Amino acid sequence: MKVYHQTGFRYKWNIESFLNGVGNGLIYSPINIDADKLLALDVKLKHSGFLDPQLYLLYEAKGTLDTYPYFPGNIKPDFATPDLDNSHIQLAQLCVDYQVQNNFEYLIIPSRYYTDNPTTFFSQSTDYFVTPFCDYIRNKNIQKKILLSVIVKTIMLSDEEKRNEVLNWITGHQNIEGVYLILENNFTSKQIKDFDYLLNALKFIKVLKDNQMEVHLGYSNTEALLYSIAMPDSVTIGSYENLRSFGIKRFQDMEKSQMRAPNARLYSSYLLQWVDYEYIQAMKKLMPDYANYFDDSEYRPLMFTPEFKWHFAKSEPYKHYFYVFDRQIKSLPSTQEGRIEELKCKIKNALTLFKKIENEVLLDENSDGSHLPTWFNVINAFQKELTK
C-alpha cells in the first residue's frame, strides 16, 4: 500500500520529506502552488504523484487556482453552470493537457461539489466530466491510468440506496482504472468515533476493490490505519488538519477572520493518536519514562529539548508524523487477515499505554484513546462481513 503526501499550505515540508525517502509520491494542490511553478518542478517530484484538479467549486478562484489553464474563469469570464454545456470538452482537454505536461503518474478526472447533490448529479458528472475526459485521453492515445475523483458524503455511506447508487455509478465506467476517493468528514472530534460511518466506509472500499478498481484514499488521518484492512491501494499523509480531513471551506474564498491558533500536537504510533503538547509537557514532569510513548525520528531530539518552543506552525512535528506514519503504514502485513490481527493487537497495546498515562496525566477526548474501542469493534464487525 502506497502513501502519498496530501500537499497544501507549506507544501515544501512534504517535498523535503519525500526527497528524504518518506512517502511514495505527492498529490498537488492547485490552490497552493502556481501552475507555472508546478510545471517547473523537477520531474522526479511529479512522475510518482498526481494532481487534484480541485474543480470542486467551479466559480471559486481560491489561492492560485486561477493560474491553471483549465480553471473555468479562464475559459469564459463569469463562468456559470449553463456554460458547461458548451465548455465541458474544452475544459477536459485543457485539464488533461496540463496533467500530461507534468508527466504525473495518473490522470485525474475532477469532481464537482454540492452541499446536497441534485438528482441529476451522476448523469451530469458523466456528461460534463467522465465522458469528455475519457474520450479525449483515448483519442490522443495517452497511455496513463485514469482515476475518477469521488467525494463520498456521509449519507452515501449511511443510506443503502444512495450507497448502491454511487457504487453502481463508479463501477459502471469502463475506461477508468480506479478512484481518488475522498470521504467527507463533518465530525467535530479530531478522531472519527462513529461506528456505522467507519464500518460503512470499509464496506464501500471493499466493494470497489472487489470490482478490481484501484482505490486511492485522499485526506486521510489516523483512520487510514483502520481503512487499510479494506486493502486500498494508497492512503495520504498531510500536515495541517484540513489536509487530513476533507472540508469544502478550504476551497472557498472566505473573508479572513481571526481564529485562535491550535495547540501543537505530536503523533505517536504506539498510542495511535496525536497528543497535545501541553500533555506531553505534563507527562515529562510526572512520568520518568514519558519519552517511551513517542517514536524516534531525526526530529525528536530537537522537540524534546527544554529549549524547543512548541507551535503549530513549526515543521518538526509534521515531518516527524510523515516519517512515523509512513513507516507504520509500510510495516503492515500484506495480507488482509494479517493486517486485521496486527491492528487489533496495536489497539489493545495502545489502550494499555493510555491506562498507564492516565494514572498520572488526564487527557482530553482529542488526545486520549477514546476512539480506539470503536475502532476495535469496527474491525471485528468488518471481519464478520468478510466471512459472509
Side-chain angles (χ1 to χ4, degrees), residues 190 241 260-265 276-278 310-312 318:
K190 294 186 184 294
E241 289 180 9
R260 191 176 75 85
N263 278 353
R265 306 170 70 81
D276 190 310
Y277 86 96
E278 290 189 346
W310 287 88
H311 192 274
F312 82 98
Y318 303 107

Side-chain angles (χ1 to χ4, degrees), residues 40-54:
L41 284 183
D42 193 315
V43 66
K44 68 183 178 183
L45 294 172
K46 296 183 290 186
H47 70 82
S48 57
F50 57 91
L51 181 79
D52 177 347
Q54 295 180 344

Side-chain angles (χ1 to χ4, degrees), residues 117-266:
N117 287 352
T119 55
T120 57
F121 175 76
F122 294 114
S123 60
Q124 284 189 353
S125 295
T126 298
D127 293 342
Y128 291 149
F129 295 108
V130 183
T131 299
F133 271 76
C134 290
D135 286 349
Y136 185 65
I137 292 167
R138 184 179 65 251
N139 292 338
K140 284 287 186 177
N141 196 29
I142 300 168
Q143 301 300 310
K144 284 186 179 290
K145 290 183 177 181
I146 305 170
L147 300 180
L148 173 62
S149 300
V150 180
I151 299 172
V152 177
K153 296 179 172 295
T154 303
I155 195 170
M156 293 176 175
L157 293 178
S158 61
D159 185 295
E160 185 177 3
E161 184 178 343
K162 292 186 182 298
R163 184 167 68 246
N164 290 336
E165 184 181 20
V166 67
L167 284 167
N168 288 336
W169 178 71
I170 295 170
T171 56
H173 297 301
Q174 301 302 311
N175 296 314
I176 63 172
E177 276 69 33
V179 289
Y180 171 44
L181 190 66
I182 298 167
L183 303 175
E184 189 173 25
N185 179 351
N186 295 316
F187 298 103
T188 56
S189 60
K190 294 186 184 294
Q191 301 293 352
I192 302 174
K193 306 175 185 180
D194 187 302
F195 176 90
D196 289 330
Y197 177 92
L198 292 169
L199 178 58
N200 286 328
L202 288 171
K203 291 159 69 173
F204 193 97
I205 296 166
K206 180 183 180 298
V207 171
L208 293 175
K209 292 306 300 175
D210 287 346
N211 280 272
Q212 285 74 55
M213 302 196 81
E214 290 190 25
V215 177
H216 299 273
L217 289 172
Y219 294 89
S220 52
N221 192 12
T222 331
E223 70 277 354
L225 286 163
L226 181 61
Y227 295 153
S228 76
I229 67 173
M231 309 304 284
D233 295 85
S234 74
V235 295
T236 57
I237 46 178
S239 53
Y240 295 128
E241 289 180 9
N242 65 1
L243 297 171
R244 289 181 270 120
S245 173
F246 181 85
I248 197 60
K249 286 183 179 179
R250 179 169 174 256
F251 305 96
Q252 293 174 320
D253 240 347
M254 306 172 76
E255 288 186 20
K256 291 183 178 179
S257 56
Q258 285 295 107
M259 295 181 65
R260 191 176 75 85
N263 278 353
R265 306 170 70 81
L266 185 65

Side-chain angles (χ1 to χ4, degrees), residues 46-107:
K46 296 183 290 186
H47 70 82
S48 57
F50 57 91
L51 181 79
D52 177 347
Q54 295 180 344
L55 289 181
Y56 303 118
L57 303 169
L58 290 178
Y59 328 119
E60 292 273 5
K62 177 76 177 286
T64 52
L65 182 58
D66 62 358
T67 66
Y68 287 73
Y70 61 82
F71 177 67
N74 293 330
I75 297 173
K76 183 181 184 297
D78 301 318
F79 192 94
T81 299
D83 294 314
L84 275 173
D85 287 327
N86 300 316
S87 303
H88 61 288
I89 294 176
Q90 185 183 4
L91 187 154
Q93 293 173 354
L94 290 169
C95 191
V96 170
D97 287 346
Y98 182 80
Q99 294 182 66
V100 170
Q101 274 184 285
N102 283 277
N103 195 27
F104 293 120
E105 181 179 9
Y106 294 96
L107 297 178

Side-chain angles (χ1 to χ4, degrees), residues 333-351:
S334 58
T335 65
Q336 188 171 42
E337 189 60 34
R339 285 187 191 178
I340 287 172
E341 294 307 322
E342 177 158 326
L343 193 51
K344 286 202 289 188
C345 183
K346 284 182 179 293
I347 289 172
K348 286 181 177 179
N349 289 340
L351 286 168

